[in-house]
């Protein structure tokens, strides 16, 4: 059984495509007993949310982000998100898999996925009106190619529009992103993140990750602190707690199974650890967010 229950997407216009474009209004109007956009769920893909009208909150990894016309949200692969029932947002959701740009032959644009790394930039940016209008036109052109044209030239046109969209968003991303992506330590940090995703339920020791990266624990701590402003142990513990929260969203697992699958052999230790850090029991957290 997969301990973190994820959802994926299929492009109904082109099932082989690794990218899609969906109107936010359509997502919110299609609620089923098996899936509701108002409930937290983990994405098995990346998603760009572009708001063209309305206002309301959107939740990413249990944090709330206020949205309005011109808001762009970056939702990463593996993150938890949901729409708010009280929001009246309109716009577009652009879901894609990490190989989508190879599918569209976009080779010039690098570091696209860094936009979706919350340690490098915040998940939200707010566009000025001129930039908003420019991006809105690009999204409308992509929608036209998908729904109205969809001929042999469509992929090339969509690729060109996406190239422009992501280039503009990279320019608009905050100052912290500019500093971090130029950091000499970025490659090691990204490798560390990959290791953390794979091994967090097996070890939270700084030395283990340092060994796998062939560096000292002191160097790893320096790298993490230079990018996140956090000590390595603090960063690892916070990520560990986030992953536990995501696992708790899988209601197919009992609390005891969640504890075991996330590295705890004793249920009481799991309860104590979680409540100490989150100030809620695992059961209370699950009831609050699922």
């Amino acid at each position: 059984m997969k301990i973190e229950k994820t959802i994926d997407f299929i492009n109904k216009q082109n099932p082989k495509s690794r990218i899609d474009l969906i109107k936010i209004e359509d997502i919110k109007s299609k609620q089923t007993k098996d899936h509701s956009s108002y409930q937290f769920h983990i994405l098995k893909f990346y998603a760009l949310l572009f708001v063209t009208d309305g206002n309301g909150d959107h939740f990413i990894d249990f944090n709330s982000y206020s949205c309005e016309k011109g808001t762009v949200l970056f939702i990463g692969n593996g993150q938890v998100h949901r729409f708010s029932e009280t929001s009246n947002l309109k716009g577009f959701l652009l879901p894609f898999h990490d190989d989508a740009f190879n599918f569209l032959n976009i080779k010039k644009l690098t570091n696209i996925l860094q936009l979706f790394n919350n340690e490098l930039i915040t998940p939200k940016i707010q566009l000025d009106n001129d930039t908003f209008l420019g991006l809105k036109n690009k999204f409308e052109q992509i929608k036209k190619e998908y729904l109205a044209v969809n001929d042999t030239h469509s992929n090339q046109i969509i690729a060109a529009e996406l190239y422009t969209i992501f280039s503009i968003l990279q320019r608009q991303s905050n100052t912290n992103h500019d500093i971090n992506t130029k950091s000499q330590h970025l490659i090691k940090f990204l490798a560390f993140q990959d290791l953390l995703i794979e091994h967090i339920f097996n070890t939270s020791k700084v030395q283990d990750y340092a060994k796998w990266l062939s560096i000292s624990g002191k160097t790893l701590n320096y790298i993490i602190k230079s990018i996140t402003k956090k000590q390595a142990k603090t960063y690892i513990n916070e990520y560990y707690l986030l992953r536990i929260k995501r696992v708790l969203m899988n209601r197919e697992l009992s609390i005891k199974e969640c504890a075991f699958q996330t590295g705890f052999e004793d249920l009481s230790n799991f309860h104590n650890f979680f409540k100490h850090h989150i100030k809620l029991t695992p059961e209370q957290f699950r009831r609050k967010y699922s």
Side-chain angles (χ1 to χ4, degrees):
M1 180 184 294
K2 193 172 182 63
I3 63 172
E4 290 168 295
K5 191 174 182 180
T6 59
I7 64 165
D8 208 340
F9 76 92
I10 297 176
N11 184 328
K12 294 181 179 179
Q13 289 289 117
N14 182 0
K16 293 183 179 180
S17 177
R18 306 291 284 167
I19 197 165
D20 203 353
L21 185 66
I22 309 167
K23 293 175 67 175
I24 294 175
E25 307 93 287
D26 291 342
I27 296 172
K28 297 186 69 176
S29 67
K30 296 176 182 177
Q31 309 296 321
T32 68
K33 65 178 182 179
D34 296 321
H35 174 72
S36 170
S37 60
Y38 302 131
Q39 294 180 338
F40 280 107
H41 46 274
I42 302 175
L43 300 187
K44 200 177 179 180
F45 51 88
Y46 297 87
L48 181 70
L49 187 75
F50 176 57
V51 180
T52 59
D53 198 8
N55 57 75
D57 293 332
H58 194 85
F59 298 86
I60 304 174
D61 275 341
F62 312 104
N63 295 313
S64 174
Y65 297 91
S66 177
C67 300
E68 59 183 314
K69 174 183 172 182
T71 297
V72 175
L73 294 180
F74 303 102
I75 309 169
N77 186 352
Q79 288 192 299
V80 177
H81 93 119
R82 77 169 178 88
F83 288 88
S84 170
E85 291 178 311
T86 59
S87 71
N88 61 345
L89 300 179
K90 295 182 179 180
F92 298 99
L93 184 75
L94 182 79
F96 64 93
H97 292 99
D98 54 9
D99 59 353
F101 302 103
N102 292 330
F103 176 81
L104 291 170
N105 291 318
I106 299 179
K107 298 177 181 178
K108 295 181 181 179
L109 192 61
T110 59
N111 302 329
I112 290 175
L113 297 185
Q114 288 181 16
L115 288 168
F116 297 82
N117 189 325
N118 294 168
E119 297 302 335
L120 303 181
I121 69 165
T122 59
K124 171 187 171 180
I125 59 174
Q126 189 66 39
L127 304 175
D128 60 70
N129 192 57
D130 288 343
T131 305
F132 163 74
L133 292 174
L135 252 63
K136 185 179 179 183
N137 288 336
K138 298 297 178 185
F139 276 96
E140 292 289 353
Q141 183 63 38
I142 292 174
K143 183 179 74 170
K144 177 182 176 182
E145 290 299 325
Y146 262 131
L147 302 180
V149 182
N150 198 23
D151 62 14
T152 55
H153 302 288
S154 290
N155 269 0
Q156 288 179 305
I157 294 172
I158 291 169
E161 300 295 0
L162 286 173
Y163 180 91
T164 303
I165 287 171
F166 281 106
S167 294
I168 291 171
L169 291 176
Q170 284 187 314
R171 176 188 288 168
Q172 291 285 316
S173 60
N174 62 27
T175 304
N176 187 45
H177 171 258
D178 293 335
I179 293 172
N180 287 332
T181 54
K182 294 175 183 176
S183 168
Q184 60 180 318
H185 303 302
L186 182 61
I187 294 175
K188 282 288 188 185
F189 177 74
L190 295 176
F192 161 71
Q193 283 188 312
D194 288 340
L195 288 169
L196 202 59
I197 290 170
E198 183 178 357
H199 298 291
I200 188 60
F201 295 142
N202 298 318
T203 179
S204 59
K205 295 179 180 178
V206 176
Q207 289 297 336
D208 287 339
Y209 294 97
K211 181 180 179 181
W212 288 325
L213 291 167
S214 300
I215 57 178
S216 68
K218 183 177 180 180
T219 299
L220 179 57
N221 188 66
Y222 179 80
I223 289 170
I224 294 172
K225 192 173 182 181
S226 71
I227 292 177
T228 70
K229 313 304 180 189
K230 300 173 184 176
Q231 297 288 338
K233 187 60 178 174
T234 300
Y235 181 85
I236 291 172
N237 284 342
E238 288 181 358
Y239 181 72
Y240 186 28
L241 284 163
L242 175 59
R243 288 289 295 275
I244 292 173
K245 290 177 183 178
R246 292 175 181 173
V247 171
L248 285 168
M249 292 299 95
N250 184 357
R251 297 189 70 87
E252 293 179 4
L253 295 177
S254 67
I255 298 298
K256 184 177 181 179
E257 287 172 319
C258 289
F260 178 75
Q261 295 287 357
T262 55
F264 288 86
E265 295 182 359
D266 184 83
L267 183 58
S268 62
N269 288 341
F270 178 66
H271 268 262
N272 293 337
F273 175 82
F274 193 84
K275 188 171 184 179
H276 173 75
H277 290 283
I278 308 301
K279 310 307 178 187
L280 296 171
T281 67
E283 291 87 353
Q284 289 169 335
F285 181 85
R286 175 175 273 181
R287 284 195 297 270
K288 181 177 180 179
Y289 289 104
S290 65

